[in-house]
Amino acid sequence: MTELTGGPALPQERRIVTAIPGPKSQELLARKNAAVAGGVGLTLPVFTKRAGGGVLEDVDGNSLIDFGSGIAVTSVGSSAEAVVRRATAQLADFTHTCFMVTPYEGYVEVCEQLAELTPGDHAKKSALFNSGAEAVENAVKIARAYTKRQAVVVFDHGYHGRTNLTMALTAKNMPYKHGFGPFAPEVYRVPVAYGYRWPTGPENCAEEAAAQAIDAMTKQVGADNIAAIIIEPVLGEGGFIEPAKGFLPRIAQFAKDNGIVFVADEIQSGFCRTGQWFACEDEGIVPDLITTAKGIAGGLPLAAVTGRAEIMDAAHAGGLGGTYGGNPVACAAALGSIETMREMDLNAKAKRIEEVMKGRLSAMQEKFDIIGDIRGRGAMIAIELVKSGSKDANPEAAGALAKACHAEGLIVLTCGTYGNVLRFLPPLVIGEDLLNEGLDIIEAAFARL
């Protein structure tokens, strides 16, 4: 067996030995530009050689602190021991049969784990896919099959994927939708309870936003026409927006009262990311269907739709599936990832990350008035940047801060409908020393802005 050089064995330190990106990364970038489609963008053009814990090592020997986790994917750290162990064993046995042709136990075991972990004690079933967008598309298919209705309701600032249907569900035009239409029909968008930007203030946000959303669904769409309401319990790409308390229960109750399938899109917020197995648990929401991906399999491509058995069984035999959906190696990795989350109590670690980050960021907010809002839960934290003395979006500051952090060896990501949010998604296994060092870099970048 090849000796492991990444994963937990990687030295947990920031180390800068060249300018970032270094010469080897720049050579690889030139090759990328010649061979890879221009539409595939890069956040930070350093080419990875190894990763593990809270760091990523590039081909030039730089070791960067990771506040991105591959967009909330490597929550257990890259190449976590249990993930590697289980996936390696599966690779040695077989790589693929297609579950729909000759099935295997790993797929069934992942579905059993999902039934146990997701909210609610009702009978549940799952179907496995490759990506978050596929999971969302299949949730829509299942909801339409169950309700015999067509309309789908989504929310302002929501993000659900890059396929044709999920582009229609996604709110933000650039870069996700621009020039790629026409989009799938029967998709309707309603307000979300965005407390920081609600016109009458955060104290009125939940009630007023829910009333507006329900009014739009009732009057403009017709409740009897709606197959599914889909929402991220913490909105991801839209800016890590936590809907004001009370909003989600109102929307979930409206769905229940009208025979609408309530879908929680937990692709970014699931699997311990917010300090609970799933973010919808914060207000006791039990969704009819829940979509998962990203953190489910420690870096391998896997996604799922899990939900009430009677809803999941509504699609006819052969109506769900895909050649690679629930690949055996990805399933093995998912079982290793869940094992790690349980054994290391990564929900508790996520809560500690929140405590450290919010404490440090709140102190920064007192010094730098362009930090308009600090929000999020667990290891899904963001700051919204504004122009001094206002709430006007400041995407220029977000871009400049991200660039400054990258130059110092800290991977951070931006997001938000207005491009003015810095989001932090560290691996849940990151050491507290690295976490604080990353926050030091952010604070120094603010001071230089």
Side-chain angles (χ1 to χ4, degrees), residues 192-253:
V192 75
Y194 188 172
Y196 180 66
R197 294 197 170 275
W198 196 253
T200 60
E203 66 278 5
N204 302 312
C205 181
E207 183 177 345
E208 292 178 1
Q212 289 182 23
I214 290 169
D215 184 69
M217 286 189 277
T218 304
K219 304 293 196 307
Q220 298 178 33
V221 188
D224 291 344
N225 296 318
I226 301 172
I229 296 172
I230 306 175
I231 189 166
E232 302 159 275
V234 177
L235 281 71
E237 301 292 318
F240 282 26
I241 300 162
E242 288 186 273
K245 299 297 184 191
F247 178 80
L248 286 174
R250 282 281 306 278
I251 300 300
Q253 188 63 49

Side-chain angles (χ1 to χ4, degrees), residues 63-218:
S63 179
L64 290 74
I65 300 173
D66 185 6
F67 275 15
S69 299
I71 316 182
V73 169
T74 54
S75 297
V76 296
S78 189
S79 298
E81 185 278 329
V83 172
V84 172
R85 169 170 40 84
R86 287 179 178 254
T88 301
Q90 181 58 57
L91 275 167
D93 288 340
F94 62 94
T95 58
H96 176 75
T97 67
C98 184
F99 187 77
M100 299 178 298
V101 178
T102 56
Y104 37 88
E105 185 179 4
Y107 188 117
V108 176
E109 192 173 353
V110 170
C111 293
E112 289 171 341
Q113 292 287 319
L114 287 166
E116 180 181 337
L117 292 170
T118 51
D121 56 7
H122 50 276
K124 301 173 201 165
K125 292 188 177 182
S126 295
L128 304 183
F129 306 98
N130 301 294
S131 69
E134 274 190 71
V136 173
E137 289 228 5
N138 279 278
V140 171
K141 287 164 60 177
I142 293 162
R144 284 173 168 167
Y146 179 73
T147 62
K148 312 302 181 191
R149 305 171 181 177
Q150 294 184 336
V152 179
V153 171
V154 288
F155 292 82
D156 289 339
H157 309 287
Y159 175 87
H160 301 286
R162 293 174 180 264
T163 59
N164 186 266
L165 174 58
T166 56
M167 281 192 295
L169 302 175
T170 291
K172 189 175 180 180
N173 173 54
M174 193 70 180
Y176 306 116
K177 302 167 68 170
H178 186 72
F180 296 146
F183 302 115
E186 288 300 313
V187 172
Y188 301 88
R189 196 173 317 284
V190 298
V192 75
Y194 188 172
Y196 180 66
R197 294 197 170 275
W198 196 253
T200 60
E203 66 278 5
N204 302 312
C205 181
E207 183 177 345
E208 292 178 1
Q212 289 182 23
I214 290 169
D215 184 69
M217 286 189 277
T218 304

Side-chain angles (χ1 to χ4, degrees), residues 153-377:
V153 171
V154 288
F155 292 82
D156 289 339
H157 309 287
Y159 175 87
H160 301 286
R162 293 174 180 264
T163 59
N164 186 266
L165 174 58
T166 56
M167 281 192 295
L169 302 175
T170 291
K172 189 175 180 180
N173 173 54
M174 193 70 180
Y176 306 116
K177 302 167 68 170
H178 186 72
F180 296 146
F183 302 115
E186 288 300 313
V187 172
Y188 301 88
R189 196 173 317 284
V190 298
V192 75
Y194 188 172
Y196 180 66
R197 294 197 170 275
W198 196 253
T200 60
E203 66 278 5
N204 302 312
C205 181
E207 183 177 345
E208 292 178 1
Q212 289 182 23
I214 290 169
D215 184 69
M217 286 189 277
T218 304
K219 304 293 196 307
Q220 298 178 33
V221 188
D224 291 344
N225 296 318
I226 301 172
I229 296 172
I230 306 175
I231 189 166
E232 302 159 275
V234 177
L235 281 71
E237 301 292 318
F240 282 26
I241 300 162
E242 288 186 273
K245 299 297 184 191
F247 178 80
L248 286 174
R250 282 281 306 278
I251 300 300
Q253 188 63 49
F254 174 79
K256 183 177 181 180
D257 291 344
N258 291 278
I260 300 165
V261 176
F262 184 82
V263 183
D265 180 342
E266 293 261 12
I267 287 159
Q268 189 163 172
S269 59
F271 289 99
C272 305
R273 176 54 58 179
T274 62
Q276 293 167 294
W277 280 100
F278 298 97
C280 60
E281 296 177 72
D282 182 64
E283 291 188 88
I285 303 295
V286 179
D288 297 309
L289 300 179
I290 185 166
T291 60
T292 53
K294 289 190 181 290
I296 192 174
L300 275 73
L302 187 70
V305 182
T306 303
R308 298 184 184 277
E310 68 274 16
I311 298 177
M312 292 297 298
D313 282 343
H316 55 274
L320 304 178
T323 302
Y324 297 106
N327 169 269
V329 181
C331 286
L335 295 170
S337 186
I338 292 167
E339 175 188 328
T340 304
M341 290 173 184
R342 283 189 162 120
E343 289 189 354
M344 297 186 68
D345 192 3
L346 292 190
N347 279 315
K349 289 188 179 295
K351 290 174 182 174
R352 176 57 183 162
I353 288 169
E354 175 184 352
E355 183 181 5
V356 172
M357 293 199 86
K358 282 190 171 178
R360 292 286 308 272
L361 292 169
S362 295
M364 292 182 212
Q365 188 177 31
E366 294 180 4
K367 295 166 63 176
F368 309 110
D369 65 356
I370 65 169
I371 301 177
D373 194 28
I374 302 166
R375 55 179 179 254
R377 297 200 299 275

